[in-house]
Amino acid sequence: MEHKQLRRAVLVAVCLCLLAGCGKKDKEETPEETSNLLAEYPVGEQTVAALTTEESGVTMDSVVTYTYSGLSSAGTTAQDYAGQLRGSESGFSIVDEEYVKTDAPDFTQPEGEVLLAKNLESAAAPEGGGEDKEGEGEASAPPAEDMVLYVRVSWSEGTCVVSADEAPGKVTAPPPTPAPPPGMSMMEAEDYFKSLSPADLGLPGESMEDFSIYTMSGAVLVDGNPCVRMNVYSNDNPQHTNELVGCFLMNGNGTHLYRLDTATNTVEELDIVRH
């Protein structure tokens, strides 16, 4: 219990540090307003650089949350603070809720939120994690627990809210983007097209074996992608003649496939991706 109380006290100090330098106040201070603004927020045994601005007063709403009001451009303030935390000295990264690194939000929006985090050195798990093994005399060491230090910044008109804390987790990089599949020869493209389901192409039937496919010469440019045109004919009709049932455009490696409306000369990309 004493440890928990100490941690909460330290978190309070961290938040005060984070909001340090948030500026001057024109009115008489009240108990809710923080007067001795710090340059850093202490969080546990760590510190985080505080948001600083000359135009705002700061109010501590809870143990680890601070509200900056009276900002002329809250989104810009949030963007500048996020940039400060991402610097080499602080070492934070913008992450999603799973602590996977991600792109920055659009700070020009009237309101929004950004989450930043960095990994902490692994610490031993809480006591009780290890158990005595019968006959061995000593308890096994508890496993290390991954922890992050995070800062959440939300903004709305004239206001920024900053909170900081530690949490279980680990900042990780997003999985690598898979390399695009290699290009295909004309025959490989036809074989791949025949392997698709008619339903995925908006065609009737159970198998592409029920259709004849003719690949046209030349390339058609769609969204900057050179594509080959494939005309699909049905063999199942009373006249026993080829009946055009669809026109499709596919780029060289099959990662983009479009259905062509010949009446309007417009295309619709199909939700089919070759991996």
Side-chain angles (χ1 to χ4, degrees):
M1 177 65 71
E2 292 180 358
H3 178 71
K4 289 286 188 181
Q5 292 174 341
L6 176 61
R7 172 60 60 85
R8 291 178 67 85
V10 172
L11 289 176
V12 173
V14 175
C15 292
L16 290 174
C17 293
L18 285 173
L19 303 172
C22 266
K24 309 180 251 182
K25 299 183 289 296
D26 297 327
K27 61 182 181 180
E28 183 178 352
E29 294 173 0
T30 64
E32 290 78 16
E33 294 230 353
T34 304
S35 58
N36 296 322
L37 298 176
L38 304 178
E40 296 177 324
Y41 304 116
V43 179
E45 297 179 356
Q46 309 295 318
T47 59
V48 179
L51 187 158
T52 58
T53 174
E54 294 297 326
E55 60 181 356
S56 169
V58 56
T59 301
M60 186 175 73
D61 298 321
S62 66
V63 176
V64 293
T65 301
Y66 297 83
T67 300
Y68 295 80
S69 57
L71 301 173
S72 59
S73 178
T76 299
T77 300
Q79 183 176 24
D80 292 344
Y81 183 45
Q84 177 188 352
L85 293 182
R86 295 173 71 186
S88 58
E89 185 174 343
S90 296
F92 282 79
S93 299
I94 294 178
V95 297
D96 61 18
E97 295 296 331
E98 302 298 324
Y99 304 122
V100 177
K101 294 180 181 179
T102 188
D103 296 330
D106 183 359
F107 291 101
T108 65
Q109 294 298 309
E111 59 183 39
E113 181 178 274
V114 61
L115 177 65
L116 302 102
K118 69 176 181 179
N119 292 323
L120 297 176
E121 292 185 7
S122 297
E127 294 183 4
E131 297 181 357
D132 290 338
K133 295 183 179 180
E134 187 175 351
E136 294 186 6
E138 292 186 3
S140 59
E145 183 177 22
D146 291 325
M147 297 289 293
V148 299
L149 175 61
Y150 74 82
V151 177
R152 188 182 300 274
V153 185
S154 60
W155 73 91
S156 57
E157 184 176 357
T159 302
C160 272
V161 179
V162 180
S163 60
D165 202 352
E166 295 178 356
K170 185 176 182 179
V171 176
T172 58
T177 302
M184 296 181 287
S185 67
M186 196 72 71
M187 184 174 296
E188 289 172 333
E190 288 186 11
D191 288 342
Y192 167 68
F193 191 79
K194 289 178 181 178
S195 71
L196 300 175
S197 165
D200 290 338
L201 298 171
L203 300 174
E206 300 294 328
S207 170
M208 292 302 293
E209 296 297 329
D210 299 331
F211 302 91
S212 295
I213 301 170
Y214 294 94
T215 302
M216 313 302 290
S217 60
V220 179
L221 201 63
V222 181
D223 294 335
N225 298 307
C227 297
V228 64
R229 174 169 170 169
M230 295 182 175
N231 291 343
V232 180
Y233 295 86
S234 172
N235 299 323
D236 184 17
N237 58 77
Q239 294 77 23
H240 299 287
T241 58
N242 289 339
E243 177 187 4
L244 183 65
V245 292
C247 297
F248 299 87
L249 302 170
M250 185 170 64
N251 72 334
N253 60 8
T255 54
H256 295 281
L257 180 59
Y258 308 87
R259 179 160 186 154
L260 172 66
D261 186 334
T262 56
T264 61
N265 200 35
T266 58
V267 296
E268 173 191 5
E269 184 166 7
L270 303 179
D271 190 18
I272 302 174
V273 179
R274 177 175 177 248
H275 298 287

